Amino acid sequence: MAWFKKLSYFLWKDTSIWSWIANILIAFVVIRYIFYPVMGILLGTSYPVVAVVSESMEHGLHNDILCGQSFDEFHESFDNYWGICGSWYEQRGITREQFEKFPFKNGFNKGDVIFLWRANRDNLVIGDILVFQANRNQPIIHRLVDISNDNEKIFYQTKGDHNSRSIDSGLEETHIGEDRVYGQALFRIPYLGWVKILVVELLKPFGIIIVR
């Protein structure tokens, strides 16, 4: 067993650059080809973990604009968010009381890591957070605001909490077919400052997709 002792020493105690490289490669293999697939099986989706790189679900104020409205002063709270954005939902039959019971009622932030659960017509309801493939390279993560039936086919409409409507930079998200849905948000790991952007880039090789 001398070879095993040498290998253990090399991986866990050796401080050479080669030991660091070996540990990084092992971590990559374990996460990409063991942890990630197992998580996919357990959570029922081929994309069990995603990283957020846009501000479309944030409830704060960026560039002094929220839900298409400009403000000089803003305090991050649900009361302020609803006061600015609530009319859009109320016009579509979603009350404040309903929204307050929605998952992630306070949205989430750029840089957060979101774990997904399988999504289908049997377990999706208005207010859930969906990850779906859009007409761009990166999938989108937005809130489900309507479910419709067209010739026995189910279609979803979503909206970013921060956005003024169900269209994001030319993205049409009012008629999302079931085949475009990857999963629904289960829980999140919050970001830690702007280091989050570096973390997102580092997560790419491990199979964690980036969502907007």
Side-chain angles (χ1 to χ4, degrees), residues 50-129:
V50 298
V52 183
V53 296
S54 83
E55 300 166 341
S56 65
M57 285 298 297
E58 294 191 13
H59 285 198
L61 210 59
H62 300 285
N63 300 320
D64 299 324
I65 296 177
L66 176 64
C67 293
Q69 301 185 55
S70 298
F71 293 87
D72 295 328
E73 224 176 289
F74 180 82
H75 302 286
E76 288 199 34
S77 70
F78 185 78
D79 285 341
N80 281 303
Y81 174 77
W82 192 259
I84 296 169
C85 304
S87 61
W88 190 94
Y89 301 99
E90 289 174 337
Q91 290 171 11
R92 290 156 180 81
I94 298 174
T95 66
R96 173 178 176 143
E97 289 70 27
Q98 288 175 306
F99 200 103
E100 287 187 291
K101 295 178 182 179
F102 286 168
F104 303 93
K105 73 165 189 175
N106 293 315
F108 43 82
N109 301 305
K110 180 180 179 181
D112 286 354
V113 172
I114 309 290
F115 284 74
L116 304 184
W117 179 250
R118 64 176 177 269
N120 55 54
R121 63 177 67 188
D122 296 323
N123 68 354
L124 285 176
V125 295
I126 302 298
D128 286 340
I129 304 296

Side-chain angles (χ1 to χ4, degrees), residues 14-181:
D14 194 334
T15 57
S16 69
I17 185 65
W18 298 112
S19 177
W20 281 96
I21 292 174
N23 275 279
I24 291 173
L25 290 174
I26 290 173
F28 171 81
V29 171
V30 170
I31 294 174
R32 182 68 179 88
Y33 297 103
I34 299 177
F35 173 78
Y36 199 71
V38 169
M39 286 291 293
I41 293 172
L42 293 176
L43 296 176
T45 172
S46 55
Y47 295 100
V49 187
V50 298
V52 183
V53 296
S54 83
E55 300 166 341
S56 65
M57 285 298 297
E58 294 191 13
H59 285 198
L61 210 59
H62 300 285
N63 300 320
D64 299 324
I65 296 177
L66 176 64
C67 293
Q69 301 185 55
S70 298
F71 293 87
D72 295 328
E73 224 176 289
F74 180 82
H75 302 286
E76 288 199 34
S77 70
F78 185 78
D79 285 341
N80 281 303
Y81 174 77
W82 192 259
I84 296 169
C85 304
S87 61
W88 190 94
Y89 301 99
E90 289 174 337
Q91 290 171 11
R92 290 156 180 81
I94 298 174
T95 66
R96 173 178 176 143
E97 289 70 27
Q98 288 175 306
F99 200 103
E100 287 187 291
K101 295 178 182 179
F102 286 168
F104 303 93
K105 73 165 189 175
N106 293 315
F108 43 82
N109 301 305
K110 180 180 179 181
D112 286 354
V113 172
I114 309 290
F115 284 74
L116 304 184
W117 179 250
R118 64 176 177 269
N120 55 54
R121 63 177 67 188
D122 296 323
N123 68 354
L124 285 176
V125 295
I126 302 298
D128 286 340
I129 304 296
L130 289 191
V131 172
F132 63 95
Q133 185 59 55
N135 54 343
R136 58 179 65 173
N137 292 331
Q138 293 178 340
I140 304 295
I141 182 166
H142 280 171
R143 190 179 301 281
L144 178 59
V145 294
D146 188 49
I147 302 174
S148 60
N149 190 311
D150 186 359
N151 291 324
E152 299 186 356
K153 291 184 179 180
I154 298 295
F155 292 94
Y156 305 108
Q157 177 182 349
T158 64
K159 175 186 173 295
D161 285 4
H162 190 89
N163 299 342
S164 61
R165 51 182 181 161
S166 288
I167 297 177
D168 176 26
S169 301
L171 166 71
E172 176 60 52
E173 52 182 312
T174 60
H175 206 64
I176 303 164
E178 291 183 283
D179 59 329
R180 292 167 55 194
V181 176

